[in-house]
Amino acid sequence: MSGSKPDILWAPHQLDRFVVCDSELSLYQVEPAGGSELKAGSLRLSEDTAATLLSINSETPYMKCVAWYLSYDPECLLAVGQANGRVVLTSLGQDHGSRCKELIGKEFVPKHARQCNTLAWNPLDSSWLAAGLDKHRADFSVLIWDICSRYSPEAAVAPEKLRLSAGEPDAGVVVTKPLYELGQNDACLSLCWLPRDQKLLLAGMHRNLAIFDLRNTSQKMFVNTKAVQGVMVDPHFQDRVASFYEGQVAIWDLRKFEKPVLTLTEQPKPLTKVAWCPTRTGLLATLTRDSDIIRLYDMQHTPTPIADETEPTIIERSVQPCDNYIASFAWHPTSQNRMIVVTPNRAMSDFTVFERISLAWSPVTSLMWACGRHLYECTEEGGDPAADKDIATKMRLRALSRYGLDTEQVWRNHVLAGNEDPQLKSLWYTLYFMKQYTEDLDPKSPGHKGSLVYAGIKTIVKSSLGMAETGSRHPWSGAPEKPGEGPSLSEERILALQLCGWINKGTDVDVGPFLSSLVQEGEWERAAAVALFNLDIRRAIQILNEGASSEKGDLNLNVVAMALSGYTDEKNSLWREMCSTLRLQLSDPYLCVMFAFLTSEPGSYDGVLYESKVAVRDRVAFACKFLSDAQLNRYIEKLTNEMKEAGNLEGILLTGLTKDGVDLMESYVDRTGDVQTASYCMLQGSPLDVLKDERVQYWIENYRNLLDAWRFWHKRAEFDIHRSKLDPSSKPLAQVFVSCNFCGKSISYSCSAVPHQGRGFSQYGVSGSPTKSKVTSCPGCRKPLPRCALCLINMGTPVSSCPGGSKSDEKVDLSKDKKLAQFNNWFTWCHNCRHGGHAGHMLSWFRDHAECPVSACSCKCMQLDTTGNLVPAETLQP
Amino acid sequence: MFVARSIAADHKDLIHDVSFDFHGRRMATCSSDQSVKVWDKSESGDWHCTASWKTHSGSVWRVTWAHPEFGQVLASCSFDRTAAVWEEIVGESNDKLRGQSHWVKRTTLVDSRTSVTDVKFAPKHMGLMLATCSADGVVRIYEAPDVMNLSQWSLQHEISCKLSCSCISWNPSSSRAHSPMIAVGSDDNSPNVSAKVQIYEYNENTRKELTSSGGPTKFEIHIVAQFDNHNSQVWRVSWNITGTVLASSGDDGCVRLWKANYMDNWKCTGILKGNGSPVNGSSSQQGISNASLGSNNPNLQNSLNGSSASRKHS
């Protein structure tokens, strides 16, 4: 407490109080203070605590050090060491009825006046107080006072009188005879009592650390060192002591006191305080001068008397409790890792040092973390349903809703995905149109277009380059003819339009059905734009009117229709001028492009083509209708690259399921992590070489892995079946063969096990389905098959019903569910004890038993595989 | 978005690690009380401790699960300079009735001369392999040639990282398209050491682990995002299963969740205090505004957990 630098102390018993001392002593009480409002007169300590000043004591000037009386009563009794070496007992308590009242005001005076450096109360005998003083030639530097000694009745005249005279320091009782005097002609810088024994005192003397034994004051144990300041015993290991000197902290083991067991890295600035954390083993806090951080040393080292081989691990940490320099700090005696710090200008802050929080995600997006000794779990499930879920959760929910598995109505997959993502919608519609087109192709005609369909519009357009243009111009209906609108439609362009969904199958170029479906879905603006792009202004106006009059329609559509009807072909008309300026204010992109189209110069449709808010399929269809071959090719090329870069799934329309499509999907997956969509999309009809792309395989593997981790094993199996349709090589080989004990040949009857073997089983002369077979002997050598451990009948016989242990409801189940009954015929066995039998018999046995049914076999067959006992997650879902 | 609830862990000292098994139905925790606990999730979603045993003669730093196809296998590492492999065995039937399972030590790996700071099983397609790292900067890779015999582990590689290692992580790639890689994080706190994260790649041709640390030698390493919100040291980071949400914990005692939006901007989507209470948004952003202090090396713990990210070919 040099100069005006404040020090801070927690009360040892009243755990919500602390004292700040500089030139005076101020007692504060900590209160919870949630919210932003503070009580008048209280100071904010942290987000949820505040302090109120209870009392101030300025009776003791020249304070050098302060120590809080360790016994509970009287409360708030403090010993203050002064610059002249006197030790004064003073109080901040409001409890004036205390029976130890007479202690307050007592003074303990050394023979020669010099500075008192340190004070320490004996933790075992609460009346002993040790004081460490500066050096004096003819005096001792360590004085131990008994605060109850020399207590004479005349001194404590009456409690009332004492209280009256409390203001005058001289009025108290003056004690001049210490209980013990130690360390002659030496200086004492720091003191602490050893908890091992009441009479052991550790002192940091001038150039050594000394242990004084009060039972024999002539002897002392000492070790020469410079680290003599701030000696403090570790509250958790009573043989471990910390002391410091300048910037260095030394840790001592009192059982081998010759040298420090370790010294901590030296700090550039001198240390001012070092303190063990009372609530946590091996945590030491240090503070250097003019610093705003407190350095913490976490010693992972169990002190043992012998083993010095284990090198201690020290985890060093810095914490910054406040913005300012820290003058002093104090650990809270009981609150875990809590400390209070004070700055030179007496700003205080209440601070908790957090333990390292380790955390882990579970596969189902629940987060678990450990804070200190406590575990916390938090899940995303059940939260706000409106909140945007992470893709991991989305994929799990989509897997549950059989997303991707609707191979007939392919477009329905986006509904299964939650019908919320326009990109997914576009993707699945694209795939739907592609699929529809391939199916409609005449399978007899070996047309080149079949292979083109899944290759995307980019390839289709490329293939049409240089081909002769055929087709007819379409009359501009309902308005004066707009000349030169669009080239004629080649076969490839019609194909592209079909893939865009504008026109249906066949060569008939009619957007009518498409328009009506749009109108039905309430997409008035889009329908109007498509009608207009098909040069049917009348239909467009009609659609807009319809939209305006519909229930949810926007009345403004009428206004738009009105504007539309005023269309004029004249270059300099007012209409044209107004439209080109006002169209930018239209919020709907489709309305915007309609006017862009009408006001554009023939051949330049940038206002339509580069309006990014318009769906890609509409823009592409527009381009197919109006751009020349070279322009179209350039445009498609450019758009494709744009889509690829952005990972926009709408671009699959352009790239198809080609290498380009994989590139696009790659950036989509990079962006979203959605391997599910990527896998299902690529399994929709990609050629084999695309499917064999490393990246596609990688997505598929990862998606399968995800399903496995979620225990969606049924979904994974369904996915594998779906996959093997397109990629037969992904079908796993038969996993198990049962071979005859006698001839060593496979006894499998099943066709499913054979394909990869490349030979049928006809050579065994067995035919028919495996379950119907009544053969109970090896097809190779005609020796009998093993017997079921329960019914003792040779395998191969159909099971009628479970004998013995079967319950009535099971019988009903079996007769109801034929498939299950057939499963009962299966031959199953334990890999550990190699006993087995009919699956149905085995299952019913293990319902009531833990051990194998074979006599004297104690194998716990059913418990061997933990994963086998897990239930697939899908069956648990509602 | 997230609500936290407390679980009675009943560890006697600091919990150092939490780890989920492949299916997320089991969990292991380890602590300075030298013990490991195994937890099973009930049908109702509550966690029950089904095993607790003293594993080491020092703080247990990390615990990790092997893929279930190798059985129910755990590995732990400790301050006592060893790592251990544990296997659950089907115990006496009365054990099962009490809901307790029995774990036996299959091996103790004693090669390290210093505290073993992390242990991780390799992705399953590599077989039963285990990597450990230690405070003296050595990464060791062990292999159990016979997956049925967990007591035989041979030391395959020993890589010296020259820096005190604090954590390791395998690349999770389940395809064979990418060679196995290990990322090693260091807790060295000297400011003049640059490569605190090193990546080692196994090279099939030379049958050696190649190194690439920090600099753009073989891998192009670039910072995608940088978070300063913890205002202090970051302790642990962990990816969710798809690698789309990152959780981090730091010296401010908070758990933060990070998520990238479509523009690749990573944003903090949730803050939770270490004790589970939610942080009221306004005050949490106050506090100390200046940047990190001390040695601020985010641990690479559990990172690269995600499995989805498609990788560009380097």
Side-chain angles (χ1 to χ4, degrees), chain A residues 137-156:
Chain A
R137 259 181 302 115
D139 205 348
F140 297 90
S141 61
V142 180
L143 305 175
I144 294 159
W145 305 94
D146 184 349
I147 56 163
C148 298
S149 79
R150 300 286 306 265
Y151 169 72
S152 44
E154 66 269 24

Side-chain angles (χ1 to χ4, degrees), chain A residues 363-364 704-713, chain B residues 22-24 241:
Chain A
V364 288
R704 297 179 65 232
N705 206 31
L706 274 182
L707 290 174
D708 278 342
W710 290 328
R711 290 176 295 125
F712 286 178
W713 297 316
Chain B
F22 178 71
H23 294 114
I241 192 164

Side-chain angles (χ1 to χ4, degrees), chain A residues 434 450-460 499 652-658 660 687:
Chain A
M434 285 179 177
S451 60
L452 275 181
V453 175
Y454 278 112
I457 288 181
K458 187 182 166 195
T459 325
I460 295 169
L499 292 182
I652 290 290
L653 176 69
L654 303 170
T655 61
L657 303 179
T658 57
D660 267 351

Side-chain angles (χ1 to χ4, degrees), chain A residues 47-48 280-281 293 300-301 309 311-313 315-320 323 354-380 383 388 390-392 395 666 669-673 675 694-695 698-699 701-702 705-706 708-711 713 860 863-864 866-867 870-871 876, chain B residues 1-7 9 11-18 20 22-25 27 29 32 39 43 47 59 61 68 72 79 81 88 90-91 173-175 177 189 233 235-242 244-245 247-249 251-253 255 257 259 262 272-275 280 283 288 290 293 302 307-313:
Chain A
E47 258 173 53
D48 32 41
R280 163 96 141 72
T281 35
I293 60 172
Q300 294 292 339
H301 171 236
E309 13 140 22
E311 221 172 277
T313 305
I315 301 165
E316 200 182 319
R317 268 176 69 190
S318 304
V319 290
Q320 189 180 23
D323 292 334
F354 290 97
E355 299 292 359
R356 290 183 178 229
I357 298 173
S358 63
L359 35 77
W361 285 100
S362 94
V364 288
T365 324
S366 85
L367 182 66
M368 184 74 75
W369 74 82
C371 184
R373 284 163 223 173
H374 305 286
L375 268 181
Y376 296 90
E377 184 188 28
C378 102
T379 46
E380 195 181 19
D388 195 25
D390 184 62
I391 190 69
M395 280 200 279
E666 181 182 7
V669 172
D670 279 348
R671 187 165 60 85
T672 61
V675 281
E694 209 171 68
R695 290 166 288 177
Y698 188 60
W699 300 329
E701 277 315 309
N702 275 307
N705 206 31
L706 274 182
D708 278 342
W710 290 328
R711 290 176 295 125
W713 297 316
K860 294 185 176 59
Q863 292 169 10
L864 287 177
T866 323
T867 312
L870 282 177
V871 187
L876 298 171
Chain B
M1 179 176 172
F2 287 93
V3 195
R5 67 191 172 95
S6 175
I7 291 165
H11 270 293
K12 306 254 176 330
D13 209 331
L14 275 194
I15 299 169
H16 289 292
D17 198 15
V18 192
F20 283 103
F22 178 71
H23 294 114
R25 303 290 298 177
M27 175 173 77
T29 55
S32 265
W39 305 74
E43 295 302 329
W47 289 98
S59 290
W61 297 134
Q72 296 296 305
F79 173 70
R81 303 184 288 185
E88 186 179 30
V90 183
S173 164
S174 58
S175 80
N189 56 12
Q233 271 175 297
W235 295 326
R236 292 283 284 259
V237 290
S238 171
W239 291 103
N240 74 337
I241 192 164
T242 48
T244 45
V245 186
S248 67
S249 73
D251 224 348
D252 58 352
V255 173
L257 300 168
K259 203 164 150 38
Y262 64 99
L272 291 142
K273 270 193 195 165
N275 58 12
N280 42 350
S283 50
I288 309 114
N290 63 343
L293 50 103
N302 288 348
S307 52
S308 75
S310 71
R311 263 143 252 268
K312 291 231 163 69
H313 304 281

